[in-house]
Amino acid sequence: MASPAHPDHFRRRGILFVVSSPSGAGKSTISRKLLENDDGLTMSVSATTRSPRPGEVDGKDYHFVDLSRFKDMVANHDFLEWAHVFGNRYGTPRAAVEEALAAGRDVLFDIDWQGAQQLYQRAGGDVVRVFIFPPSMTELERRLRHRATDSEEVIQGRMSRATAEISHWDGYDYVLVNDDVERCYADVATILAAERLKRSRQTGLIGFVRKLITEGSGEG
Ligand code: ADP
Ligand code: 5GP
C-alpha cells in the first residue's frame, strides 16, 4: 500500500507494526509511549466481546461489542484478522487500518500471536512483528498484581496463558526483554525507524535514482 503523505524522503509503503507480549509484560505501556512520540503512527483499535475494565473507553481502548455484533462483523468480512483470546473474541477492523495506510500513516497493533500470524499471511512484507518478554515469570505476576485491574482468577488465567503466548516467540521478527521500560521503548522506536528506511518500502526510489543518473550524465 503506497503512502503518499509520509514525511520521508521518498514515497514508501505503510508498515503494519505488531507488538505482542504475554499480558502484563508491558506492551500497552510501550505502545502508549510510541504513539505519544510519533506523529506518523496510528493505533488500530480492536473490537472485542470482553467487558470493559475500569477506566477503559469504548472506541479508544476497544470497540466493545456483543457476540452477535462480532459475528456479523466476521460474516461481513469487516476484520483483517480475528481470534479467540481468554474465552473472548478479538478482531482488527479492516476499514480503519486501510484508511490510515492510505493517508500515509503506519499502524500499530496490540494483538496476540494468532493475529500477528494472520496479518503476516495477508500483508507479508508490510508487517513487522515485535515480541516483548518479561524479565521473569515472577516479575510478570508482580506487574499483573501491581496493575490492579484484574481479579485473582483473571490474573491466574493470564499467568497460565503467558507460557503459551511465549512459546510463539519464533513467529516474530524481533524479540526484546522489557526490563527497563525506557530502554525497551527506545529499542522498539529504533526498530520502527530502521524498518521505515528499508529499501524495499521506498516506492519512490526508482524515479529518484533515474533522475540522479540523468542529471549525472548531463542530460537533465
Ligand atoms: P500489557 O499491555 O502487556 O498487558 P502493561 O503495559 O499494562 O502490560 O503493563 C503491566 C504493568 O506493568 C503496568 O502496571 C505497567 O505500568 C507495568 N510495567 C510495564 N513495563 C514495566 C517495566 N519495565 N518495569 C516495571 N513495571 C512495568
Ligand atoms: P486484553 O483483554 O488484556 O486487553 O487483551 C488480551 C489479549 O488479546 C492481548 O494479548 C492482546 O494483544 C490480544 N488482542 C487484543 N486485540 C486483539 C485483536 O484484535 N486480535 C487479536 N488476535 N488479538 C488481540
Side-chain angles (χ1 to χ4, degrees):
M1 282 163 253
S3 304
H6 276 293
D8 310 43
H9 207 67
F10 311 114
R11 282 164 60 97
R12 70 166 172 82
R13 301 170 66 80
I15 296 174
L16 289 80
F17 197 70
V18 177
V19 179
S20 303
S21 76
S23 188
K27 65 188 167 305
S28 308
T29 307
I30 304 281
S31 299
R32 213 175 302 124
K33 289 171 83 69
L34 270 180
L35 291 162
E36 276 166 15
N37 293 296
D38 191 322
D39 289 341
L41 200 59
T42 295
M43 184 84 205
S44 164
V45 179
S46 296
T48 180
T49 59
R50 85 152 161 75
S51 314
R53 290 189 203 127
E56 281 184 332
V57 177
D58 187 30
K60 181 168 172 280
D61 298 291
Y62 281 104
H63 300 289
F64 295 99
V65 298
D66 62 19
L67 186 56
S68 130
R69 171 85 185 111
F70 195 96
K71 285 181 174 171
D72 283 348
M73 292 178 80
V74 172
N76 289 337
H77 305 285
D78 286 345
F79 291 127
L80 268 181
E81 64 74 36
W82 72 272
H84 291 271
V85 187
F86 303 139
N88 290 299
R89 294 173 203 209
Y90 293 76
T92 301
R94 176 195 303 278
V97 174
E98 290 178 350
E99 274 166 33
L101 290 170
R105 304 179 63 77
D106 299 310
V107 183
L108 176 63
F109 299 85
D110 167 348
I111 58 178
D112 78 338
W113 66 272
Q114 305 172 83
Q117 203 173 63
Q118 290 179 58
L119 272 196
Y120 186 72
Q121 280 160 6
R122 276 164 192 259
D126 291 338
V127 181
V128 177
R129 296 157 298 175
V130 180
F131 192 86
I132 297 178
F133 291 118
S136 68
M137 296 312 264
T138 314
E139 171 63 9
L140 181 67
E141 187 161 354
R142 192 198 67 76
R143 286 183 195 171
L144 283 173
R145 286 186 196 291
H146 187 256
R147 189 168 68 180
T149 51
D150 299 319
S151 66
E152 182 58 31
E153 192 190 345
V154 171
I155 289 175
Q156 288 312 325
R158 289 188 190 284
M159 284 305 295
S160 63
R161 282 178 185 87
T163 349
E165 186 76 28
I166 286 170
S167 70
H168 294 283
W169 64 275
D170 59 351
Y172 288 78
D173 304 302
Y174 300 90
V175 292
L176 300 171
V177 176
N178 178 16
D179 194 347
D180 178 275
V181 71
E182 292 302 330
R183 174 65 203 265
C184 186
Y185 157 69
D187 286 345
V188 175
T190 300
I191 291 166
L192 179 56
E195 288 285 346
R196 282 174 167 160
L197 293 170
K198 265 198 171 161
R199 181 172 61 84
S200 57
R201 303 192 201 290
Q202 315 289 334
T203 53
L205 195 52
I206 291 177
F208 180 79
V209 172
R210 222 174 254 152
K211 190 163 159 280
L212 282 184
I213 290 174
T214 310
E215 278 176 23
S217 64
E219 292 167 20

